[in-house]
Protein backbone atom coordinates (compact mmCIF):
# COMPACT_ATOMS: atom_id res chain seq x y z
CA UNK A 1 0.00 0.00 0.00
CA UNK A 2 1.40 3.40 -1.00
CA UNK A 3 0.32 6.89 0.02
CA UNK A 4 0.01 9.86 -2.35
CA UNK A 5 3.17 11.63 -3.48
CA UNK A 6 5.04 13.36 -0.68
CA UNK A 7 5.77 16.29 -2.99
CA UNK A 8 2.91 17.75 -5.05
CA UNK A 9 5.24 18.32 -8.03
CA UNK A 10 7.10 15.05 -7.57
CA UNK A 11 6.80 11.56 -8.90
CA UNK A 12 8.25 9.47 -6.11
CA UNK A 13 5.95 7.94 -3.52
CA UNK A 14 6.41 8.23 0.21
CA UNK A 15 6.42 4.75 1.80
CA UNK A 16 3.27 4.12 3.80
CA UNK A 17 3.61 4.67 7.57
CA UNK A 18 2.38 1.08 7.92
CA UNK A 19 5.22 -0.08 5.71
CA UNK A 20 8.38 1.01 7.40
CA UNK A 21 10.41 1.28 10.55
CA UNK A 22 8.23 3.71 12.48
CA UNK A 23 5.23 1.43 12.99
CA UNK A 24 6.86 -1.81 14.14
CA UNK A 25 8.36 -2.71 17.52
CA UNK A 26 12.11 -3.13 17.45
CA UNK A 27 13.34 -6.64 16.78
CA UNK A 28 10.09 -7.88 15.23
CA UNK A 29 8.72 -8.04 11.73
CA UNK A 30 5.00 -7.49 11.18
CA UNK A 31 2.77 -10.48 10.59
CA UNK A 32 2.75 -11.32 6.90
CA UNK A 33 5.90 -9.22 6.36
CA UNK A 34 7.16 -8.87 2.82
CA UNK A 35 10.27 -6.97 1.83
CA UNK A 36 9.72 -4.01 -0.54
CA UNK A 37 9.20 -5.00 -4.13
CA UNK A 38 11.32 -3.66 -6.96
CA UNK A 39 8.51 -1.32 -8.00
CA UNK A 40 8.21 -0.04 -4.42
CA UNK A 41 11.96 0.56 -4.28
CA UNK A 42 11.85 2.57 -7.51
CA UNK A 43 8.82 4.49 -6.27
CA UNK A 44 10.69 5.35 -3.07
CA UNK A 45 13.22 7.41 -5.04
CA UNK A 46 12.97 11.13 -4.44
CA UNK A 47 10.88 12.95 -7.08
CA UNK A 48 13.60 14.06 -9.51
CA UNK A 49 15.26 10.66 -9.52
CA UNK A 50 11.93 8.87 -9.75
CA UNK A 51 10.92 10.84 -12.84
CA UNK A 52 14.29 10.21 -14.51
CA UNK A 53 14.15 6.49 -13.69
CA UNK A 54 10.58 6.17 -14.95
CA UNK A 55 11.36 8.02 -18.17
CA UNK A 56 14.38 5.82 -18.82
CA UNK A 57 12.17 2.78 -18.38
CA UNK A 58 9.51 4.11 -20.77
CA UNK A 59 11.83 5.44 -23.47
CA UNK A 60 14.78 3.03 -23.30
CA UNK A 61 12.81 -0.01 -22.15
CA UNK A 62 15.37 -1.07 -19.53
CA UNK A 63 14.15 -3.28 -16.70
CA UNK A 64 13.35 -1.59 -13.41
CA UNK A 65 16.28 -3.36 -11.75
CA UNK A 66 18.78 -2.08 -14.31
CA UNK A 67 17.34 1.42 -14.02
CA UNK A 68 17.43 1.50 -10.21
CA UNK A 69 20.98 0.16 -9.90
CA UNK A 70 22.44 2.38 -12.59
CA UNK A 71 20.78 5.63 -11.58
CA UNK A 72 21.93 5.18 -7.98
CA UNK A 73 25.47 4.35 -9.07
CA UNK A 74 25.85 7.35 -11.37
CA UNK A 75 24.27 9.77 -8.90
CA UNK A 76 26.61 8.46 -6.20
CA UNK A 77 29.59 9.37 -8.38
CA UNK A 78 28.27 12.90 -9.04
CA UNK A 79 27.43 13.75 -5.44
CA UNK A 80 30.29 12.06 -3.59
CA UNK A 81 32.78 14.70 -4.74
CA UNK A 82 30.59 17.38 -3.14
CA UNK A 83 29.71 16.06 0.31
CA UNK A 84 30.22 13.36 2.88
CA UNK A 85 27.62 12.33 5.46
CA UNK A 86 27.79 11.99 9.21
CA UNK A 87 27.73 8.40 10.40
CA UNK A 88 26.03 6.96 13.48
CA UNK A 89 29.27 7.30 15.45
CA UNK A 90 29.73 10.97 14.62
CA UNK A 91 32.43 10.39 12.02
CA UNK A 92 31.82 11.29 8.40
CA UNK A 93 31.60 8.70 5.66
CA UNK A 94 31.68 9.05 1.86
CA UNK A 95 28.58 8.98 -0.28
CA UNK A 96 30.14 6.45 -2.65
CA UNK A 97 28.16 3.26 -3.31
CA UNK A 98 29.37 -0.10 -4.54
CA UNK A 99 26.60 -1.65 -6.66
CA UNK A 100 26.40 -4.83 -8.72
CA UNK A 101 23.38 -5.55 -10.88
CA UNK A 102 23.16 -9.16 -12.02
CA UNK A 103 20.52 -9.22 -14.72
CA UNK A 104 19.24 -11.63 -17.29
CA UNK A 105 20.16 -11.32 -20.94
CA UNK A 106 18.01 -8.65 -22.61
CA UNK A 107 17.36 -6.91 -19.29
CA UNK A 108 18.40 -3.52 -20.66
CA UNK A 109 21.63 -3.29 -18.66
CA UNK A 110 23.58 -1.54 -21.41
CA UNK A 111 20.82 0.97 -22.22
CA UNK A 112 20.45 2.05 -18.59
CA UNK A 113 24.22 2.13 -18.01
CA UNK A 114 24.94 4.22 -21.11
CA UNK A 115 22.06 6.67 -20.65
CA UNK A 116 22.77 7.52 -17.01
CA UNK A 117 26.52 7.66 -17.69
CA UNK A 118 26.20 10.07 -20.63
CA UNK A 119 26.14 13.39 -18.71
CA UNK A 120 28.99 12.25 -16.45
CA UNK A 121 31.22 11.51 -19.45
CA UNK A 122 30.41 14.93 -20.88
CA UNK A 123 31.05 16.74 -17.58
CA UNK A 124 34.37 14.95 -16.94
CA UNK A 125 35.97 15.85 -20.28
CA UNK A 126 38.05 18.60 -18.74
CA UNK A 127 39.39 16.45 -15.90
CA UNK A 128 42.98 15.51 -16.69
CA UNK A 129 43.20 12.51 -14.39
CA UNK A 130 41.97 9.06 -15.40
CA UNK A 131 38.57 8.58 -13.74
CA UNK A 132 36.64 5.82 -15.58
CA UNK A 133 37.78 2.20 -15.37
CA UNK A 134 36.36 -1.14 -16.40
CA UNK A 135 38.27 -4.41 -16.18
CA UNK A 136 41.38 -2.93 -14.57
CA UNK A 137 44.08 -4.78 -12.62
CA UNK A 138 44.46 -3.82 -8.94
CA UNK A 139 48.07 -2.53 -9.22
CA UNK A 140 47.11 -0.27 -12.13
CA UNK A 141 44.09 1.09 -10.28
CA UNK A 142 46.06 1.83 -7.11
CA UNK A 143 48.92 3.39 -9.07
CA UNK A 144 46.49 5.78 -10.79
CA UNK A 145 44.87 6.75 -7.49
CA UNK A 146 48.22 7.39 -5.82
CA UNK A 147 49.19 9.53 -8.80
CA UNK A 148 46.23 11.82 -8.12
CA UNK A 149 43.11 10.15 -9.57
CA UNK A 150 41.03 10.79 -6.46
CA UNK A 151 37.65 10.60 -8.23
CA UNK A 152 37.10 7.20 -9.83
CA UNK A 153 34.22 5.09 -11.06
CA UNK A 154 34.41 1.41 -11.94
CA UNK A 155 31.55 1.12 -14.41
CA UNK A 156 30.66 -1.61 -16.88
CA UNK A 157 27.58 -2.37 -18.92
CA UNK A 158 28.61 -6.03 -19.17
CA UNK A 159 31.19 -6.89 -16.51
CA UNK A 160 31.56 -10.55 -17.33
CA UNK A 161 35.34 -10.37 -17.64
CA UNK A 162 35.56 -8.28 -14.48
CA UNK A 163 34.24 -11.17 -12.39
CA UNK A 164 37.03 -13.33 -13.84
CA UNK A 165 39.63 -10.73 -12.98
CA UNK A 166 41.62 -10.21 -9.76
CA UNK A 167 40.04 -6.87 -8.83
CA UNK A 168 36.66 -8.51 -8.20
CA UNK A 169 38.27 -10.57 -5.44
CA UNK A 170 40.70 -7.97 -4.05
CA UNK A 171 38.42 -7.71 -1.05
CA UNK A 172 40.66 -5.81 1.34
CA UNK A 173 41.51 -3.14 -1.24
CA UNK A 174 37.83 -2.80 -2.18
CA UNK A 175 36.83 -2.47 1.48
CA UNK A 176 39.41 0.30 1.99
CA UNK A 177 38.25 2.14 -1.11
CA UNK A 178 34.60 1.79 -0.05
CA UNK A 179 35.55 3.87 2.99
CA UNK A 180 37.53 6.28 0.74
CA UNK A 181 40.78 5.09 2.34
CA UNK A 182 43.77 4.24 0.19
CA UNK A 183 45.16 0.73 0.71
CA UNK A 184 48.62 0.72 2.29
CA UNK A 185 51.69 0.58 0.09
CA UNK A 186 53.21 -2.79 -0.66
CA UNK A 187 56.85 -3.58 -1.31
CA UNK A 188 56.49 -2.97 -5.04
CA UNK A 189 55.81 0.71 -4.30
CA UNK A 190 58.48 1.27 -1.65
CA UNK A 191 61.19 2.34 -4.11
CA UNK A 192 59.14 5.19 -5.55
CA UNK A 193 59.77 7.82 -2.88
CA UNK A 194 58.05 10.61 -4.81
CA UNK A 195 54.89 8.51 -5.15
CA UNK A 196 54.91 7.64 -1.46
CA UNK A 197 55.42 11.25 -0.41
CA UNK A 198 52.73 12.79 -2.59
CA UNK A 199 50.09 10.06 -2.58
CA UNK A 200 46.68 11.33 -1.41
CA UNK A 201 45.25 10.15 1.89
CA UNK A 202 41.76 9.44 0.54
CA UNK A 203 39.89 8.98 -2.72
CA UNK A 204 36.36 8.52 -4.02
CA UNK A 205 35.76 5.11 -5.57
CA UNK A 206 32.27 4.28 -6.88
CA UNK A 207 31.42 0.96 -8.50
CA UNK A 208 28.39 0.30 -10.69
CA UNK A 209 28.96 -3.00 -12.46
CA UNK A 210 26.37 -4.78 -14.59
CA UNK A 211 26.84 -8.50 -15.08
CA UNK A 212 24.81 -11.45 -16.24
CA UNK A 213 23.11 -13.43 -13.51
CA UNK A 214 24.75 -16.75 -14.38
CA UNK A 215 28.22 -15.20 -14.12
CA UNK A 216 27.38 -13.66 -10.76
CA UNK A 217 26.28 -17.04 -9.37
CA UNK A 218 29.48 -18.60 -10.71
CA UNK A 219 31.52 -15.89 -8.94
CA UNK A 220 29.67 -16.47 -5.68
CA UNK A 221 30.23 -20.22 -5.91
CA UNK A 222 33.97 -19.65 -6.35
CA UNK A 223 34.63 -16.67 -4.12
CA UNK A 224 31.55 -16.23 -1.93
CA UNK A 225 33.07 -17.68 1.23
CA UNK A 226 36.20 -15.54 0.89
CA UNK A 227 34.07 -12.46 0.21
CA UNK A 228 31.98 -13.14 3.31
CA UNK A 229 35.04 -13.80 5.46
CA UNK A 230 36.67 -10.57 4.32
CA UNK A 231 33.52 -8.58 5.04
CA UNK A 232 33.55 -6.84 1.66
CA UNK A 233 30.47 -8.52 0.23
CA UNK A 234 28.41 -7.09 3.12
CA UNK A 235 29.29 -3.61 1.82
CA UNK A 236 28.17 -4.46 -1.71
CA UNK A 237 24.65 -3.59 -2.81
CA UNK A 238 23.88 -6.57 -5.01
CA UNK A 239 20.70 -7.28 -6.90
CA UNK A 240 19.94 -10.31 -9.06
CA UNK A 241 16.89 -10.11 -11.31
CA UNK A 242 15.38 -12.17 -14.11
CA UNK A 243 13.27 -9.24 -15.34
CA UNK A 244 13.48 -8.51 -19.07
CA UNK A 245 13.45 -5.19 -20.86
CA UNK A 246 10.39 -3.94 -22.67
CA UNK A 247 10.12 -2.29 -26.06
CA UNK A 248 10.67 1.35 -25.23
CA UNK A 249 9.12 4.32 -26.96
CA UNK A 250 12.50 5.42 -28.29
CA UNK A 251 12.56 8.66 -30.27
CA UNK A 252 8.78 8.72 -30.42
CA UNK A 253 8.77 10.23 -26.91
CA UNK A 254 10.99 13.22 -26.09
CA UNK A 255 13.07 13.31 -22.94
CA UNK A 256 12.15 15.80 -20.24
CA UNK A 257 13.03 14.30 -16.84
CA UNK A 258 16.22 12.79 -18.25
CA UNK A 259 17.31 16.20 -19.51
CA UNK A 260 16.72 17.59 -16.02
CA UNK A 261 18.83 14.71 -14.71
CA UNK A 262 21.60 15.55 -17.21
CA UNK A 263 21.62 19.20 -16.17
CA UNK A 264 21.78 18.37 -12.47
CA UNK A 265 24.55 15.79 -12.93
CA UNK A 266 26.67 18.28 -14.90
CA UNK A 267 26.16 20.86 -12.13
CA UNK A 268 27.17 18.40 -9.42
CA UNK A 269 30.22 17.12 -11.25
CA UNK A 270 31.42 20.67 -11.97
CA UNK A 271 31.03 21.77 -8.36
CA UNK A 272 32.63 18.57 -7.12
CA UNK A 273 35.69 19.00 -9.31
CA UNK A 274 36.12 22.53 -8.00
CA UNK A 275 36.04 21.27 -4.41
CA UNK A 276 38.53 18.50 -5.10
CA UNK A 277 41.01 21.05 -6.43
CA UNK A 278 41.03 22.85 -3.07
CA UNK A 279 40.54 20.12 -0.47
CA UNK A 280 41.19 16.40 0.08
CA UNK A 281 38.34 13.94 -0.17
CA UNK A 282 38.18 13.33 3.59
CA UNK A 283 37.70 17.08 4.21
CA UNK A 284 34.64 17.58 2.02
CA UNK A 285 31.64 19.29 3.70
CA UNK A 286 29.59 16.98 5.89
CA UNK A 287 25.83 16.43 5.72
CA UNK A 288 24.08 16.03 9.05
CA UNK A 289 21.07 13.78 9.66
CA UNK A 290 17.98 14.86 11.58
CA UNK A 291 17.67 13.20 15.02
CA UNK A 292 14.30 11.71 14.03
CA UNK A 293 15.91 10.31 10.88
CA UNK A 294 18.65 8.72 13.00
CA UNK A 295 15.87 7.01 14.94
CA UNK A 296 14.50 5.62 11.66
CA UNK A 297 17.93 4.20 10.85
CA UNK A 298 18.28 2.61 14.30
CA UNK A 299 14.92 0.91 13.96
CA UNK A 300 15.79 -0.21 10.44
CA UNK A 301 18.95 -1.85 11.73
CA UNK A 302 16.94 -3.97 14.16
CA UNK A 303 14.56 -4.99 11.39
CA UNK A 304 17.44 -5.83 9.04
CA UNK A 305 18.97 -8.07 11.70
CA UNK A 306 15.72 -9.95 12.12
CA UNK A 307 15.23 -10.19 8.35
CA UNK A 308 18.65 -11.83 7.99
CA UNK A 309 18.12 -14.23 10.89
CA UNK A 310 14.73 -15.37 9.60
CA UNK A 311 15.22 -15.49 5.84
CA UNK A 312 18.83 -16.70 5.69
CA UNK A 313 19.25 -18.24 9.17
CA UNK A 314 22.54 -16.38 9.57
CA UNK A 315 24.47 -16.65 12.83
CA UNK A 316 24.12 -13.68 15.16
CA UNK A 317 27.50 -12.19 14.29
CA UNK A 318 26.74 -12.18 10.56
CA UNK A 319 23.23 -10.78 11.05
CA UNK A 320 24.75 -7.85 12.95
CA UNK A 321 27.35 -7.24 10.22
CA UNK A 322 24.66 -7.48 7.52
CA UNK A 323 22.39 -5.00 9.32
CA UNK A 324 25.12 -2.48 10.15
CA UNK A 325 26.46 -2.45 6.59
CA UNK A 326 22.99 -2.22 5.06
CA UNK A 327 22.08 0.72 7.30
CA UNK A 328 25.33 2.42 6.29
CA UNK A 329 24.32 2.01 2.65
CA UNK A 330 20.85 3.37 3.44
CA UNK A 331 22.54 6.40 5.00
CA UNK A 332 24.64 6.89 1.87
CA UNK A 333 21.63 6.47 -0.43
CA UNK A 334 19.76 9.08 1.61
CA UNK A 335 22.70 11.48 1.30
CA UNK A 336 22.89 10.89 -2.45
CA UNK A 337 19.21 11.67 -2.96
CA UNK A 338 19.38 14.69 -0.61
CA UNK A 339 22.26 16.26 -2.56
CA UNK A 340 20.86 15.41 -5.99
CA UNK A 341 17.53 17.07 -5.18
CA UNK A 342 19.30 20.12 -3.76
CA UNK A 343 17.57 19.93 -0.38
CA UNK A 344 18.74 22.31 2.33
CA UNK A 345 19.66 21.48 5.91
CA UNK A 346 20.15 18.03 7.43
CA UNK A 347 18.88 14.87 5.76
CA UNK A 348 15.19 14.52 6.63
CA UNK A 349 13.03 11.69 7.91
CA UNK A 350 11.27 11.59 4.53
CA UNK A 351 14.50 11.08 2.59
CA UNK A 352 15.88 8.54 5.06
CA UNK A 353 12.64 6.55 5.04
CA UNK A 354 12.81 6.39 1.27
CA UNK A 355 16.45 5.28 1.43
CA UNK A 356 15.63 2.60 3.99
CA UNK A 357 12.96 1.21 1.66
CA UNK A 358 15.46 1.03 -1.20
CA UNK A 359 18.16 -0.50 1.01
CA UNK A 360 15.70 -3.04 2.41
CA UNK A 361 14.87 -4.15 -1.12
CA UNK A 362 18.57 -4.54 -1.91
CA UNK A 363 19.06 -6.38 1.38
CA UNK A 364 16.37 -8.94 0.60
CA UNK A 365 17.83 -9.52 -2.87
CA UNK A 366 21.33 -9.73 -1.38
CA UNK A 367 20.24 -12.43 1.07
CA UNK A 368 18.49 -14.41 -1.65
CA UNK A 369 21.60 -14.21 -3.84
CA UNK A 370 24.39 -14.77 -1.32
CA UNK A 371 22.47 -17.25 0.85
CA UNK A 372 19.95 -18.88 -1.50
CA UNK A 373 17.35 -21.05 0.20
CA UNK A 374 18.49 -24.62 0.67
CA UNK A 375 16.21 -27.53 -0.20
CA UNK A 376 14.04 -28.45 2.76
CA UNK A 377 14.78 -32.02 3.98
CA UNK A 378 11.92 -34.49 3.29
CA UNK A 379 11.35 -35.23 7.00
CA UNK A 380 10.91 -31.48 7.66
CA UNK A 381 8.38 -31.18 4.83
CA UNK A 382 6.46 -34.13 6.28
CA UNK A 383 6.61 -32.61 9.75
CA UNK A 384 5.28 -29.29 8.48
CA UNK A 385 2.49 -31.02 6.60
CA UNK A 386 1.47 -33.07 9.63
CA UNK A 387 1.60 -30.03 11.91
CA UNK A 388 -0.54 -28.09 9.47
CA UNK A 389 -3.08 -30.92 9.45
CA UNK A 390 -3.19 -31.18 13.24
CA UNK A 391 -3.32 -27.42 13.69
CA UNK A 392 -6.26 -27.12 11.24
CA UNK A 393 -8.17 -29.92 13.01
CA UNK A 394 -7.61 -28.25 16.37
CA UNK A 395 -8.95 -24.93 15.11
CA UNK A 396 -12.03 -26.59 13.60
CA UNK A 397 -12.74 -28.39 16.87
CA UNK A 398 -12.13 -25.26 18.95
CA UNK A 399 -9.48 -27.02 20.98
CA UNK A 400 -6.75 -24.98 22.70
CA UNK A 401 -4.24 -27.79 23.23
CA UNK A 402 -5.54 -31.02 21.66
CA UNK A 403 -4.00 -34.37 22.39
CA UNK A 404 -4.44 -37.92 21.17
CA UNK A 405 -2.71 -41.25 21.40
CA UNK A 406 0.58 -41.36 19.56
CA UNK A 407 -0.43 -44.71 18.09
CA UNK A 408 -3.53 -43.08 16.59
CA UNK A 409 -1.37 -40.47 14.84
CA UNK A 410 0.95 -43.17 13.52
CA UNK A 411 -2.06 -45.03 12.15
CA UNK A 412 -2.76 -42.04 9.85
CA UNK A 413 0.42 -42.68 7.84
CA UNK A 414 -1.35 -44.36 4.87
CA UNK A 415 -3.65 -41.32 4.54
CA UNK A 416 -0.57 -39.21 3.78
CA UNK A 417 1.05 -41.83 1.57
CA UNK A 418 3.80 -42.39 4.14
CA UNK A 419 5.32 -45.40 5.77
CA UNK A 420 4.95 -45.69 9.54
CA UNK A 421 8.65 -44.81 9.97
CA UNK A 422 8.13 -41.60 8.00
CA UNK A 423 5.20 -40.65 10.25
CA UNK A 424 7.40 -41.25 13.30
CA UNK A 425 10.04 -38.97 11.77
CA UNK A 426 7.41 -36.25 11.28
CA UNK A 427 6.23 -36.57 14.89
CA UNK A 428 9.82 -36.42 16.12
CA UNK A 429 10.51 -33.25 14.13
CA UNK A 430 7.38 -31.54 15.48
CA UNK A 431 8.48 -32.31 19.03
CA UNK A 432 12.05 -31.12 18.34
CA UNK A 433 10.69 -27.76 17.22
CA UNK A 434 8.78 -27.34 20.47
CA UNK A 435 5.34 -27.52 18.86
CA UNK A 436 4.28 -30.70 20.68
CA UNK A 437 5.39 -33.32 23.16
CA UNK A 438 5.06 -37.08 23.58
CA UNK A 439 4.33 -37.97 27.21
CA UNK A 440 3.01 -40.99 29.18
CA UNK A 441 -0.43 -40.52 30.76
CA UNK A 442 -2.79 -42.67 32.84
CA UNK A 443 -6.24 -43.14 31.32
CA UNK A 444 -8.82 -45.43 32.95
CA UNK A 445 -6.05 -46.93 35.01
CA UNK A 446 -3.93 -47.77 31.97
CA UNK A 447 -0.66 -46.19 30.86
CA UNK A 448 -0.84 -44.70 27.35
CA UNK A 449 1.56 -42.62 25.24
CA UNK A 450 -0.01 -39.29 24.28
CA UNK A 451 0.90 -36.80 21.57
CA UNK A 452 0.00 -33.28 22.75
CA UNK A 453 0.22 -30.00 20.87
CA UNK A 454 1.56 -27.36 23.25
CA UNK A 455 -0.67 -24.32 23.89
CA UNK A 456 2.27 -21.86 23.95
CA UNK A 457 4.01 -23.18 20.86
CA UNK A 458 4.38 -20.86 17.83
CA UNK A 459 1.60 -22.78 16.14
CA UNK A 460 -0.91 -21.39 18.64
CA UNK A 461 0.47 -17.84 18.89
CA UNK A 462 -1.82 -15.09 17.63
CA UNK A 463 -0.39 -13.77 14.37
CA UNK A 464 0.37 -10.30 15.79
CA UNK A 465 2.93 -11.76 18.19
CA UNK A 466 5.36 -12.78 15.46
CA UNK A 467 5.90 -15.41 12.84
CA UNK A 468 3.68 -18.51 13.01
CA UNK A 469 5.40 -21.67 11.84
CA UNK A 470 5.75 -21.99 8.11
CA UNK A 471 3.01 -24.51 7.42
CA UNK A 472 2.38 -26.08 4.05
Amino acid sequence: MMTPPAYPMGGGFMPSPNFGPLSQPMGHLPAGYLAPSLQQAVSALTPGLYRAASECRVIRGSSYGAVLANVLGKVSFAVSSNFRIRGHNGRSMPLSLHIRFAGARLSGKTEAHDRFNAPIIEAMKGWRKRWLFDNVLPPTLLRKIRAGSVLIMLSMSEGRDHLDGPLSRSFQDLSDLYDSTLPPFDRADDDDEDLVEHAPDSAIFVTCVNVQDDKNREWLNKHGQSAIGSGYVFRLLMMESDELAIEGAGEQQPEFALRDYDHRIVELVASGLMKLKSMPVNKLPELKVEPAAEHVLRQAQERFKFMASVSAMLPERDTTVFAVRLVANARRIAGCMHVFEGYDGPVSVDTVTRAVTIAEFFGERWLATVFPPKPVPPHVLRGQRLLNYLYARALQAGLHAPSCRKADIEALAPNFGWAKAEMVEAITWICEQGFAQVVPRIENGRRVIKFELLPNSPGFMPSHQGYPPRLI
Side-chain angles (χ1 to χ4, degrees):
M1 172 181 171
M2 306 301 288
T3 59
Y7 298 90
M9 300 301 292
F13 285 82
M14 179 65 184
S16 165
N18 296 319
F19 177 77
L22 294 177
S23 61
Q24 302 303 332
M26 294 178 69
H28 293 279
L29 295 176
Y33 167 84
L34 289 174
S37 67
L38 175 55
Q39 285 72 21
Q40 286 173 316
V42 172
S43 294
L45 291 166
T46 43
L49 287 177
Y50 174 79
R51 290 194 292 270
S54 299
E55 196 169 271
C56 183
R57 162 75 172 175
V58 170
I59 295 177
R60 298 289 177 127
S62 297
S63 65
Y64 281 115
V67 167
L68 179 63
N70 282 276
V71 74
L72 286 176
K74 313 318 178 191
V75 168
S76 172
F77 177 82
V79 305
S80 57
S81 58
N82 286 270
F83 290 94
R84 293 166 68 88
I85 191 169
R86 178 168 293 185
H88 72 283
N89 55 8
R91 294 182 294 181
S92 68
M93 66 169 62
L95 293 176
S96 52
L97 298 171
H98 287 198
I99 299 175
R100 182 187 299 173
F101 172 69
R105 296 171 180 82
L106 298 178
S107 61
K109 298 185 291 293
T110 300
E111 288 78 6
H113 170 273
D114 292 350
R115 181 60 188 87
F116 288 121
N117 234 15
I120 296 177
I121 293 174
E122 186 65 28
M124 292 294 291
K125 282 184 176 179
W127 189 247
R128 295 183 179 180
K129 299 293 184 179
R130 177 78 179 273
W131 65 275
L132 183 61
F133 293 86
D134 47 30
N135 191 28
V136 64
L137 295 174
T140 303
L141 176 66
L142 296 181
R143 186 169 61 249
K144 290 292 185 180
I145 296 175
R146 288 165 181 156
S149 293
V150 294
L151 177 60
I152 284 180
M153 178 163 58
L154 184 73
S155 180
M156 282 160 276
S157 60
E158 295 285 350
R160 198 171 184 88
D161 291 340
H162 164 69
L163 294 189
D164 286 330
L167 182 61
S168 73
R169 54 185 185 273
S170 299
F171 302 127
Q172 186 55 57
D173 290 346
L174 291 171
S175 293
D176 289 340
L177 291 170
Y178 173 85
D179 293 323
S180 76
T181 302
L182 262 68
F185 284 88
D186 58 30
R187 283 176 290 182
D189 302 310
D190 291 346
D191 294 336
D192 194 336
E193 295 181 2
D194 184 67
L195 182 66
V196 173
E197 181 181 355
H198 295 98
D201 295 326
S202 54
I204 295 163
F205 183 70
V206 172
T207 75
C208 183
V209 177
N210 298 270
V211 298
Q212 290 177 348
D213 48 6
D214 64 322
K215 193 65 179 179
N216 189 55
R217 287 191 292 271
E218 178 184 316
W219 183 89
L220 285 169
N221 290 335
K222 288 183 178 179
H223 310 297
Q225 286 303 315
S226 297
I228 292 168
S230 72
Y232 173 68
V233 76
F234 290 99
R235 295 171 167 88
L236 181 64
L237 288 171
M238 182 161 45
M239 180 206 318
E240 186 173 298
S241 173
D242 58 3
E243 180 191 15
L244 298 180
I246 61 173
E247 184 177 355
E251 295 181 356
Q252 297 179 9
Q253 179 171 326
E255 295 181 350
F256 295 104
L258 285 170
R259 290 186 179 180
D260 291 340
Y261 162 86
D262 293 345
H263 179 72
R264 182 59 177 155
I265 290 294
V266 170
E267 281 184 343
L268 288 167
V269 170
S271 64
L273 295 181
M274 289 295 293
K275 289 178 180 177
L276 292 179
K277 290 178 180 179
S278 60
M279 66 184 72
V281 167
N282 55 11
K283 299 298 182 182
L284 288 170
E286 180 186 82
L287 296 173
K288 294 180 174 58
V289 181
E290 289 183 356
E294 289 285 0
H295 181 64
V296 171
L297 290 168
R298 286 193 298 271
Q299 289 187 315
Q301 183 168 315
E302 293 300 315
R303 190 168 69 253
F304 294 164
K305 286 174 63 176
F306 196 67
M307 177 174 68
S309 67
V310 170
S311 63
M313 306 294 288
L314 297 186
E316 184 176 357
R317 182 184 66 177
D318 286 346
T319 62
T320 300
V321 174
F322 168 82
V324 169
R325 298 304 185 196
L326 188 56
V327 165
N329 276 320
R331 187 183 297 271
R332 295 185 186 206
I333 292 170
C336 289
M337 296 193 297
H338 179 91
V339 176
F340 178 86
E341 301 290 353
Y343 296 151
D344 294 325
V347 183
S348 68
V349 170
D350 175 274
T351 304
V352 166
T353 302
R354 292 170 180 273
V356 165
T357 300
I358 295 168
E360 189 166 353
F361 163 75
F362 270 102
E364 187 273 334
R365 291 298 177 93
W366 186 97
L367 289 168
T369 303
V370 178
F371 296 99
K374 297 179 180 178
V376 180
H379 74 279
V380 174
L381 291 174
R382 286 192 290 268
Q384 289 181 329
R385 182 181 173 191
L386 177 59
L387 183 58
N388 187 56
Y389 169 80
L390 296 172
Y391 185 38
R393 286 189 58 183
L395 291 178
Q396 291 173 356
L399 298 176
H400 185 55
S403 66
C404 56
R405 293 187 180 186
K406 179 173 176 286
D408 293 339
I409 297 294
E410 293 174 0
L412 295 175
N415 295 344
F416 292 85
W418 302 341
K420 182 178 178 180
E422 291 175 328
M423 177 62 80
V424 172
E425 281 185 341
I427 292 172
T428 301
W429 180 84
I430 291 173
C431 294
E432 288 175 344
Q433 304 308 306
F435 299 152
Q437 63 181 359
V438 174
V439 293
R441 301 291 187 195
I442 303 299
E443 289 185 356
N444 300 323
R446 297 180 59 188
R447 183 178 181 273
V448 295
I449 304 299
K450 302 284 286 188
F451 176 82
E452 300 176 349
L453 292 176
L454 300 176
N456 294 323
S457 75
F460 286 94
M461 281 186 181
S463 61
H464 68 271
Q465 293 185 13
Y467 271 98
R470 182 172 175 266
L471 307 177
I472 58 176

